[in-house]
Amino acid sequence: MCGIVGYTGPREAGPILIEGLGRLEYRGYDSAGIALVDEEGALFVEKKAGKLVNLQAAIADRTPHASLGVAHTRWATHGRPNDLNAHPHQDCTGEITVVHNGIIENFRELRDELEARGHALRSETDTEALAHLVEDAYQGDLSAAVREALGRVEGAYALVVMHRGERSRLIGARHNVPLVVGLNGEESFLASDVAAILAHTDKVVFLQEGDIADVRPTGVTITSLTGEPLDRPVSTIDWTPEAAEKGGHATFMEKEIHEQPEALAQSLAGRVSPAGGVAAPELDEMADTFRRVTRVELVACGTAYYAAMVGAAALQEWTGLPSRVTVGSEFRYSPPPVDTNTLVVAVTQSGETADTIAPTRWAREQGCPIVAITNTVGSAITREADAVMFLQAGPEIAVAASKTFVTQVTTLVTLAATIAKARGAMAEAAELELGAALRHLPEAAARTLELAAHVPAMAQRYAGSRGFMFIGRGYSFPAALEGALKLKEVSYIHAEGYAAGELKHGPISLLDAECPLVAVATRSRVYDKLMSNVMEGRARDARVIAVATEGDEAIGRFADEVVFVPPTHEALSPVLAVIPLQLFAYHTALARGNDVDQPRNLAKSVTVE
Ligand code: AGP
């Protein structure tokens, strides 16, 4: 949930680390800190509560010349977000410095034990215990000391450790939290993800669970926790540094909403043939499994959960297999009955969400075949799966997901079609109809953005509303839920997402002139039913904002505001319907003066329970 970056090499470490932290702020931003070992071997540390700008102001004009350092941006788990609890943390001697992302679950015992042995711990964090454990274990070799210290630790971590006396060496360690090594000839990096170092190198090593990386300027040596040498491939990342920047937009969220046509095209590449055949080649080896499974359980959180709802509906409709989705935190402790014929599909943009990884791992232990759907190459979820479908959407920096929702939906729909075909359950005509709609989808998304040109003005008019009710039926229900989540996340206005038929069973009492009704009213088999629910809301004085299909001339009679989207396949309708809702949330948040890329209390990647 925090961001880590480390540097060793011939250049000035300070600016490189601060720039890297800027790219990682989406992972957490309640405090930031930096530690540098200067040319004389002296340690410089500065830590500041609040966003990175506070740290930048504190070190301006006094950053020492240094070629070794670590930096951290924090999202608090243990200890309040203040200067003292900000990372990096030191041991008693000030020789050892640690930055950490994750949670040390046995930190209380460790702290008590360390204090009983005379160590003075200054912060309230779990991380500081690590620095003191390394201090105890250090006998001239930092890597050996880190391995020994980690032998005492329970929990999840990505960490980087440096010693003031070992002036060109960083030790990185990973267990259930991401960490990558960047290599660039005479300089090396450690970072929570590639976005932090992409400006300097495209050569990275994705560390795996239990890896210890001994990083020197000219390369890295990787061992296991017990010291056995390990071979890890060097990957070349084809994301340009510009892909991780705002590309002319005011914010990452705006940029990512507008790059959805391109993200969809990229995501569908190789999955739809020019003739309209739908297939995911990365699932070829799973064909026998798809034929024998008897049910499908999907697991995901947040936006990914809503995308998975679309996937579950398509799977059930096209394969006839009972298919359902459960949020990861519920699946983990109240798992559904599974056996070796239960296909489990884990959906996670980051691939690092603890609530999604744990139930997936559990299902794997039960012998379930696993398909993971993620945007992140090398992420933890990929190691739990028999097959992985990558979203291929490029990095998503804004905390509020946008392009990863639409690519999750299309990837899940492709998976559903692939399984249906393997089982002989999808007629060729149905496949070709879906294939044609998928091929047209990037263009339809671009048209949707054009059709939504009036949404900013509309958001201004409604930004003072007390609350919002979003409704949908069938495939438009997950789009309504995602629209409500987007609005909550960035505007901080309360919004409910409901299956439209449920409105009359309770939530209709919330509706009045101050609580608009947002209806996802795209053409579908249940359009008329949805319209009846819209009329129920209108009768309670609610203003109605409708997302409708181009050519729907009747909608104007039911709605005060309409945003049209192009027609598409019903299972793909959430992809287009969500776009005006994302824009509505975005512009409402702007109208209220909020920080849309880093909304309060949130973090991009939730790697703790
Ligand atoms: C979406 O806007 C949120 N930031 C959040 O709900 C997110 O989708 C959820 O935490 C799951 O993340 P994942 O896809 O990386 O697993």
Side-chain angles (χ1 to χ4, degrees), residues 126-180:
D126 51 341
T127 303
E128 195 186 345
L130 278 169
H132 294 267
L133 284 176
V134 176
E135 175 191 352
D136 273 357
Y138 188 74
Q139 293 186 348
D141 177 358
L142 189 58
S143 179
V146 171
R147 283 201 303 270
E148 188 179 327
L150 289 178
R152 301 285 326 279
V153 163
E154 288 161 26
Y157 52 78
L159 53 95
V160 181
V161 187
M162 67 179 188
H163 190 287
R164 196 164 65 85
E166 300 195 36
R167 275 194 239 164
S168 61
R169 190 180 193 191
L170 294 171
I171 305 298
R174 170 187 173 134
H175 183 60
N176 286 336
V177 177
L179 191 65
V180 297

Short mmCIF file of all heavy atoms in Angstrom, two decimals, residues 126-180:
data_model
loop_
_atom_site.label_atom_id
_atom_site.label_comp_id
_atom_site.label_asym_id
_atom_site.label_seq_id
_atom_site.Cartn_x
_atom_site.Cartn_y
_atom_site.Cartn_z
N ASP A 126 5.26 -0.99 12.63
CA ASP A 126 5.75 -2.37 12.58
C ASP A 126 7.12 -2.41 11.91
O ASP A 126 7.99 -3.21 12.26
CB ASP A 126 4.76 -3.27 11.82
CG ASP A 126 4.35 -2.71 10.46
OD1 ASP A 126 4.53 -1.50 10.22
OD2 ASP A 126 3.84 -3.48 9.64
N THR A 127 7.36 -1.49 10.98
CA THR A 127 8.58 -1.51 10.17
C THR A 127 9.84 -1.30 11.00
O THR A 127 10.88 -1.92 10.74
CB THR A 127 8.48 -0.39 9.11
OG1 THR A 127 7.31 -0.61 8.35
CG2 THR A 127 9.70 -0.37 8.21
N GLU A 128 9.75 -0.43 12.00
CA GLU A 128 10.98 -0.10 12.72
C GLU A 128 11.60 -1.34 13.36
O GLU A 128 12.83 -1.45 13.47
CB GLU A 128 10.71 0.97 13.78
CG GLU A 128 12.01 1.59 14.27
CD GLU A 128 11.82 2.56 15.42
OE1 GLU A 128 10.68 2.98 15.69
OE2 GLU A 128 12.84 2.85 16.08
N ALA A 129 10.75 -2.29 13.75
CA ALA A 129 11.28 -3.53 14.34
C ALA A 129 12.27 -4.21 13.39
O ALA A 129 13.27 -4.79 13.83
CB ALA A 129 10.12 -4.47 14.67
N LEU A 130 11.99 -4.11 12.09
CA LEU A 130 12.86 -4.75 11.10
C LEU A 130 14.28 -4.17 11.15
O LEU A 130 15.26 -4.91 11.08
CB LEU A 130 12.31 -4.51 9.69
CG LEU A 130 11.20 -5.42 9.22
CD1 LEU A 130 10.60 -4.88 7.94
CD2 LEU A 130 11.76 -6.81 8.99
N ALA A 131 14.36 -2.85 11.26
CA ALA A 131 15.69 -2.21 11.28
C ALA A 131 16.49 -2.73 12.47
O ALA A 131 17.69 -3.01 12.35
CB ALA A 131 15.53 -0.69 11.36
N HIS A 132 15.82 -2.91 13.61
CA HIS A 132 16.53 -3.38 14.81
C HIS A 132 16.87 -4.86 14.71
O HIS A 132 17.91 -5.30 15.21
CB HIS A 132 15.68 -3.08 16.05
CG HIS A 132 15.54 -1.60 16.28
ND1 HIS A 132 16.38 -0.88 17.10
CD2 HIS A 132 14.67 -0.70 15.77
CE1 HIS A 132 16.03 0.41 17.09
NE2 HIS A 132 14.97 0.52 16.29
N LEU A 133 16.01 -5.63 14.06
CA LEU A 133 16.34 -7.06 13.84
C LEU A 133 17.57 -7.18 12.95
O LEU A 133 18.46 -8.02 13.21
CB LEU A 133 15.16 -7.78 13.17
CG LEU A 133 13.95 -8.12 14.02
CD1 LEU A 133 12.87 -8.75 13.14
CD2 LEU A 133 14.31 -9.07 15.16
N VAL A 134 17.65 -6.34 11.93
CA VAL A 134 18.83 -6.39 11.04
C VAL A 134 20.07 -5.95 11.82
O VAL A 134 21.15 -6.53 11.70
CB VAL A 134 18.62 -5.52 9.79
CG1 VAL A 134 19.86 -5.49 8.92
CG2 VAL A 134 17.43 -6.03 8.97
N GLU A 135 19.90 -4.94 12.67
CA GLU A 135 21.02 -4.47 13.51
C GLU A 135 21.59 -5.64 14.33
O GLU A 135 22.80 -5.85 14.36
CB GLU A 135 20.51 -3.37 14.46
CG GLU A 135 21.54 -2.89 15.45
CD GLU A 135 20.91 -1.99 16.55
OE1 GLU A 135 19.72 -1.63 16.43
OE2 GLU A 135 21.64 -1.67 17.50
N ASP A 136 20.70 -6.39 14.96
CA ASP A 136 21.15 -7.53 15.77
C ASP A 136 21.87 -8.58 14.95
O ASP A 136 22.80 -9.22 15.42
CB ASP A 136 19.93 -8.20 16.44
CG ASP A 136 19.59 -7.54 17.77
OD1 ASP A 136 20.33 -6.62 18.17
OD2 ASP A 136 18.59 -7.95 18.38
N ALA A 137 21.40 -8.76 13.72
CA ALA A 137 21.94 -9.85 12.90
C ALA A 137 23.19 -9.43 12.13
O ALA A 137 23.89 -10.30 11.59
CB ALA A 137 20.86 -10.31 11.91
N TYR A 138 23.48 -8.14 12.06
CA TYR A 138 24.55 -7.65 11.15
C TYR A 138 25.95 -8.00 11.65
O TYR A 138 26.32 -7.67 12.77
CB TYR A 138 24.44 -6.13 10.99
CG TYR A 138 25.36 -5.60 9.92
CD1 TYR A 138 25.10 -5.80 8.57
CD2 TYR A 138 26.54 -4.92 10.26
CE1 TYR A 138 25.95 -5.33 7.59
CE2 TYR A 138 27.40 -4.44 9.28
CZ TYR A 138 27.09 -4.65 7.94
OH TYR A 138 27.95 -4.19 6.97
N GLN A 139 26.68 -8.70 10.77
CA GLN A 139 28.08 -9.01 11.11
C GLN A 139 28.97 -8.73 9.90
O GLN A 139 29.83 -9.53 9.55
CB GLN A 139 28.21 -10.47 11.52
CG GLN A 139 27.51 -10.72 12.83
CD GLN A 139 27.72 -12.09 13.38
OE1 GLN A 139 28.24 -12.99 12.70
NE2 GLN A 139 27.34 -12.28 14.62
N GLY A 140 28.69 -7.62 9.21
CA GLY A 140 29.54 -7.23 8.08
C GLY A 140 28.95 -7.56 6.72
O GLY A 140 29.49 -7.14 5.70
N ASP A 141 27.85 -8.32 6.67
CA ASP A 141 27.24 -8.64 5.37
C ASP A 141 25.74 -8.35 5.46
O ASP A 141 24.99 -9.08 6.11
CB ASP A 141 27.50 -10.12 5.04
CG ASP A 141 26.81 -10.54 3.73
OD1 ASP A 141 26.12 -9.70 3.12
OD2 ASP A 141 26.95 -11.71 3.34
N LEU A 142 25.31 -7.28 4.79
CA LEU A 142 23.92 -6.82 4.91
C LEU A 142 22.93 -7.87 4.41
O LEU A 142 21.87 -8.07 5.01
CB LEU A 142 23.75 -5.50 4.15
CG LEU A 142 22.42 -4.78 4.36
CD1 LEU A 142 22.17 -4.47 5.83
CD2 LEU A 142 22.38 -3.48 3.54
N SER A 143 23.30 -8.55 3.32
CA SER A 143 22.37 -9.54 2.76
C SER A 143 22.12 -10.66 3.77
O SER A 143 20.97 -11.06 4.01
CB SER A 143 22.98 -10.10 1.46
OG SER A 143 22.13 -11.06 0.92
N ALA A 144 23.19 -11.15 4.38
CA ALA A 144 23.03 -12.23 5.37
C ALA A 144 22.20 -11.75 6.55
O ALA A 144 21.35 -12.48 7.08
CB ALA A 144 24.42 -12.69 5.83
N ALA A 145 22.42 -10.49 6.96
CA ALA A 145 21.67 -9.96 8.11
C ALA A 145 20.19 -9.84 7.79
O ALA A 145 19.33 -10.15 8.62
CB ALA A 145 22.25 -8.60 8.50
N VAL A 146 19.87 -9.39 6.56
CA VAL A 146 18.46 -9.25 6.19
C VAL A 146 17.80 -10.63 6.15
O VAL A 146 16.69 -10.83 6.65
CB VAL A 146 18.32 -8.53 4.82
CG1 VAL A 146 16.88 -8.59 4.32
CG2 VAL A 146 18.78 -7.08 4.94
N ARG A 147 18.51 -11.62 5.59
CA ARG A 147 17.93 -12.98 5.54
C ARG A 147 17.66 -13.49 6.94
O ARG A 147 16.59 -14.03 7.23
CB ARG A 147 18.87 -13.93 4.79
CG ARG A 147 18.82 -13.76 3.29
CD ARG A 147 19.35 -15.01 2.59
NE ARG A 147 20.70 -15.33 3.00
CZ ARG A 147 21.79 -14.86 2.39
NH1 ARG A 147 21.67 -14.08 1.34
NH2 ARG A 147 22.98 -15.19 2.83
N GLU A 148 18.61 -13.28 7.83
CA GLU A 148 18.42 -13.77 9.21
C GLU A 148 17.25 -13.05 9.88
O GLU A 148 16.40 -13.68 10.52
CB GLU A 148 19.72 -13.57 10.01
CG GLU A 148 19.65 -14.24 11.38
CD GLU A 148 20.92 -14.07 12.18
OE1 GLU A 148 22.02 -14.03 11.57
OE2 GLU A 148 20.81 -13.98 13.42
N ALA A 149 17.19 -11.73 9.69
CA ALA A 149 16.10 -10.96 10.31
C ALA A 149 14.75 -11.42 9.77
O ALA A 149 13.79 -11.59 10.53
CB ALA A 149 16.31 -9.47 10.04
N LEU A 150 14.67 -11.65 8.49
CA LEU A 150 13.38 -12.02 7.90
C LEU A 150 12.93 -13.40 8.35
O LEU A 150 11.73 -13.71 8.31
CB LEU A 150 13.43 -11.93 6.37
CG LEU A 150 13.50 -10.50 5.84
CD1 LEU A 150 13.61 -10.48 4.32
CD2 LEU A 150 12.28 -9.68 6.28
N GLY A 151 13.86 -14.21 8.78
CA GLY A 151 13.50 -15.51 9.33
C GLY A 151 12.62 -15.38 10.56
O GLY A 151 11.91 -16.31 10.95
N ARG A 152 12.64 -14.19 11.20
CA ARG A 152 11.85 -13.98 12.41
C ARG A 152 10.48 -13.34 12.12
O ARG A 152 9.67 -13.16 13.03
CB ARG A 152 12.60 -12.99 13.34
CG ARG A 152 13.97 -13.42 13.78
CD ARG A 152 13.92 -14.50 14.85
NE ARG A 152 12.79 -14.39 15.78
CZ ARG A 152 12.76 -13.56 16.83
NH1 ARG A 152 13.79 -12.81 17.11
NH2 ARG A 152 11.70 -13.52 17.62
N VAL A 153 10.29 -12.97 10.86
CA VAL A 153 9.16 -12.10 10.54
C VAL A 153 7.98 -12.88 9.96
O VAL A 153 8.16 -13.72 9.09
CB VAL A 153 9.64 -11.02 9.53
CG1 VAL A 153 8.47 -10.35 8.85
CG2 VAL A 153 10.51 -10.00 10.24
N GLU A 154 6.77 -12.58 10.48
CA GLU A 154 5.56 -13.12 9.86
C GLU A 154 4.79 -11.95 9.24
O GLU A 154 4.68 -10.91 9.87
CB GLU A 154 4.66 -13.77 10.92
CG GLU A 154 5.21 -15.08 11.44
CD GLU A 154 4.57 -15.46 12.78
OE1 GLU A 154 3.43 -15.03 13.03
OE2 GLU A 154 5.25 -16.16 13.55
N GLY A 155 4.26 -12.18 8.06
CA GLY A 155 3.49 -11.12 7.44
C GLY A 155 3.86 -10.93 6.00
O GLY A 155 4.42 -11.82 5.36
N ALA A 156 3.54 -9.76 5.49
CA ALA A 156 3.77 -9.47 4.07
C ALA A 156 4.73 -8.29 3.98
O ALA A 156 4.63 -7.35 4.76
CB ALA A 156 2.45 -9.12 3.41
N TYR A 157 5.65 -8.37 3.04
CA TYR A 157 6.58 -7.25 2.91
C TYR A 157 7.18 -7.15 1.53
O TYR A 157 7.38 -8.14 0.85
CB TYR A 157 7.72 -7.36 3.94
CG TYR A 157 8.43 -8.69 3.94
CD1 TYR A 157 9.39 -9.00 2.96
CD2 TYR A 157 8.15 -9.66 4.91
CE1 TYR A 157 10.04 -10.23 2.96
CE2 TYR A 157 8.79 -10.89 4.90
CZ TYR A 157 9.73 -11.17 3.94
OH TYR A 157 10.36 -12.38 3.92
N ALA A 158 7.43 -5.90 1.16
CA ALA A 158 8.46 -5.59 0.17
C ALA A 158 9.32 -4.60 0.92
O ALA A 158 8.79 -3.66 1.52
CB ALA A 158 7.87 -4.94 -1.06
N LEU A 159 10.62 -4.84 0.96
CA LEU A 159 11.44 -3.89 1.70
C LEU A 159 12.77 -3.68 1.02
O LEU A 159 13.23 -4.51 0.24
CB LEU A 159 11.61 -4.33 3.15
CG LEU A 159 12.12 -5.73 3.44
CD1 LEU A 159 13.61 -5.71 3.65
CD2 LEU A 159 11.43 -6.21 4.72
N VAL A 160 13.34 -2.51 1.33
CA VAL A 160 14.69 -2.20 0.87
C VAL A 160 15.48 -1.76 2.09
O VAL A 160 15.00 -0.96 2.89
CB VAL A 160 14.69 -1.09 -0.20
CG1 VAL A 160 16.12 -0.84 -0.68
CG2 VAL A 160 13.82 -1.48 -1.38
N VAL A 161 16.67 -2.35 2.22
CA VAL A 161 17.52 -2.06 3.38
C VAL A 161 18.86 -1.55 2.87
O VAL A 161 19.39 -2.08 1.89
CB VAL A 161 17.74 -3.34 4.22
CG1 VAL A 161 18.47 -3.02 5.52
CG2 VAL A 161 16.42 -4.03 4.52
N MET A 162 19.40 -0.53 3.53
CA MET A 162 20.78 -0.12 3.21
C MET A 162 21.58 0.07 4.50
O MET A 162 21.00 0.29 5.57
CB MET A 162 20.81 1.13 2.33
CG MET A 162 20.33 2.39 2.96
SD MET A 162 20.45 3.77 1.78
CE MET A 162 20.04 5.12 2.89
N HIS A 163 22.90 -0.05 4.37
CA HIS A 163 23.81 0.12 5.51
C HIS A 163 24.73 1.27 5.17
O HIS A 163 25.29 1.32 4.07
CB HIS A 163 24.59 -1.17 5.74
CG HIS A 163 25.37 -1.16 7.02
ND1 HIS A 163 26.51 -0.42 7.19
CD2 HIS A 163 25.14 -1.81 8.20
CE1 HIS A 163 26.96 -0.61 8.43
NE2 HIS A 163 26.14 -1.45 9.06
N ARG A 164 24.90 2.16 6.13
CA ARG A 164 25.70 3.38 5.91
C ARG A 164 27.14 3.03 5.49
O ARG A 164 27.78 3.76 4.74
CB ARG A 164 25.70 4.19 7.21
CG ARG A 164 26.13 5.61 7.06
CD ARG A 164 25.71 6.39 8.28
NE ARG A 164 26.40 5.92 9.50
CZ ARG A 164 27.60 6.33 9.87
NH1 ARG A 164 28.28 7.20 9.16
NH2 ARG A 164 28.14 5.89 11.00
N GLY A 165 27.62 1.89 5.98
CA GLY A 165 29.00 1.51 5.69
C GLY A 165 29.18 0.74 4.38
O GLY A 165 30.30 0.48 3.97
N GLU A 166 28.08 0.33 3.74
CA GLU A 166 28.19 -0.42 2.48
C GLU A 166 27.61 0.49 1.41
O GLU A 166 26.43 0.42 1.07
CB GLU A 166 27.42 -1.75 2.58
CG GLU A 166 27.94 -2.65 3.71
CD GLU A 166 27.45 -4.09 3.60
OE1 GLU A 166 27.31 -4.60 2.48
OE2 GLU A 166 27.19 -4.68 4.66
N ARG A 167 28.47 1.36 0.88
CA ARG A 167 28.00 2.56 0.19
C ARG A 167 27.45 2.41 -1.21
O ARG A 167 27.09 3.40 -1.84
CB ARG A 167 29.11 3.59 0.20
CG ARG A 167 29.07 4.35 1.49
CD ARG A 167 29.91 5.56 1.39
NE ARG A 167 30.94 5.51 2.42
CZ ARG A 167 32.01 6.25 2.41
NH1 ARG A 167 32.24 7.06 1.39
NH2 ARG A 167 32.87 6.18 3.38
N SER A 168 27.42 1.19 -1.74
CA SER A 168 26.81 1.09 -3.08
C SER A 168 25.86 -0.10 -3.13
O SER A 168 25.55 -0.61 -4.19
CB SER A 168 27.91 0.92 -4.14
OG SER A 168 28.63 -0.25 -3.87
N ARG A 169 25.37 -0.52 -1.99
CA ARG A 169 24.60 -1.76 -1.95
C ARG A 169 23.20 -1.54 -1.36
O ARG A 169 23.05 -0.85 -0.34
CB ARG A 169 25.37 -2.74 -1.05
CG ARG A 169 24.86 -4.14 -1.05
CD ARG A 169 25.72 -4.96 -0.11
NE ARG A 169 25.49 -6.38 -0.29
CZ ARG A 169 25.95 -7.32 0.53
NH1 ARG A 169 26.68 -6.99 1.60
NH2 ARG A 169 25.69 -8.59 0.31
N LEU A 170 22.22 -2.14 -2.03
CA LEU A 170 20.85 -2.15 -1.49
C LEU A 170 20.41 -3.61 -1.41
O LEU A 170 20.70 -4.39 -2.32
CB LEU A 170 19.89 -1.41 -2.42
CG LEU A 170 20.08 0.09 -2.58
CD1 LEU A 170 19.18 0.61 -3.71
CD2 LEU A 170 19.76 0.83 -1.28
N ILE A 171 19.70 -3.95 -0.36
CA ILE A 171 19.12 -5.29 -0.28
C ILE A 171 17.60 -5.14 -0.36
O ILE A 171 17.00 -4.39 0.41
CB ILE A 171 19.51 -6.00 1.04
CG1 ILE A 171 21.03 -6.03 1.23
CG2 ILE A 171 18.91 -7.40 1.07
CD1 ILE A 171 21.80 -6.81 0.18
N GLY A 172 17.01 -5.86 -1.31
CA GLY A 172 15.55 -5.85 -1.44
C GLY A 172 15.01 -7.22 -1.08
O GLY A 172 15.69 -8.24 -1.26
N ALA A 173 13.80 -7.26 -0.56
CA ALA A 173 13.18 -8.55 -0.23
C ALA A 173 11.69 -8.45 -0.51
O ALA A 173 11.08 -7.39 -0.30
CB ALA A 173 13.42 -8.90 1.23
N ARG A 174 11.14 -9.55 -0.98
CA ARG A 174 9.72 -9.56 -1.33
C ARG A 174 9.02 -10.77 -0.74
O ARG A 174 9.50 -11.91 -0.85
CB ARG A 174 9.57 -9.60 -2.85
CG ARG A 174 8.14 -9.85 -3.24
CD ARG A 174 7.86 -10.08 -4.69
NE ARG A 174 6.45 -10.46 -4.75
CZ ARG A 174 5.56 -9.98 -5.60
NH1 ARG A 174 5.92 -9.15 -6.53
NH2 ARG A 174 4.32 -10.37 -5.55
N HIS A 175 7.87 -10.54 -0.14
CA HIS A 175 6.98 -11.63 0.26
C HIS A 175 5.55 -11.12 0.20
O HIS A 175 5.12 -10.35 1.06
CB HIS A 175 7.34 -12.13 1.67
CG HIS A 175 6.50 -13.30 2.09
ND1 HIS A 175 6.49 -14.50 1.41
CD2 HIS A 175 5.62 -13.44 3.11
CE1 HIS A 175 5.66 -15.32 2.00
NE2 HIS A 175 5.10 -14.71 3.03
N ASN A 176 4.85 -11.52 -0.83
CA ASN A 176 3.43 -11.16 -1.03
C ASN A 176 3.17 -9.68 -1.29
O ASN A 176 2.02 -9.23 -1.20
CB ASN A 176 2.57 -11.61 0.17
CG ASN A 176 2.38 -13.10 0.15
OD1 ASN A 176 2.48 -13.74 -0.89
ND2 ASN A 176 2.12 -13.67 1.31
N VAL A 177 4.18 -8.92 -1.54
CA VAL A 177 4.03 -7.49 -1.86
C VAL A 177 5.03 -7.20 -2.98
O VAL A 177 6.16 -7.67 -2.91
CB VAL A 177 4.34 -6.61 -0.61
CG1 VAL A 177 4.25 -5.13 -0.97
CG2 VAL A 177 3.36 -6.91 0.53
N PRO A 178 4.62 -6.44 -4.01
CA PRO A 178 5.50 -6.33 -5.19
C PRO A 178 6.79 -5.53 -4.97
O PRO A 178 6.81 -4.58 -4.20
CB PRO A 178 4.60 -5.60 -6.20
CG PRO A 178 3.57 -4.90 -5.39
CD PRO A 178 3.35 -5.73 -4.17
N LEU A 179 7.82 -5.97 -5.68
CA LEU A 179 9.10 -5.25 -5.70
C LEU A 179 9.83 -5.64 -6.99
O LEU A 179 9.88 -6.82 -7.32
CB LEU A 179 9.93 -5.64 -4.47
CG LEU A 179 11.17 -4.78 -4.20
CD1 LEU A 179 10.79 -3.34 -3.85
CD2 LEU A 179 12.00 -5.36 -3.03
N VAL A 180 10.34 -4.64 -7.70
CA VAL A 180 11.08 -4.94 -8.94
C VAL A 180 12.47 -4.32 -8.85
O VAL A 180 12.68 -3.31 -8.19
CB VAL A 180 10.37 -4.40 -10.21
CG1 VAL A 180 9.02 -5.04 -10.40
CG2 VAL A 180 10.24 -2.88 -10.19
#
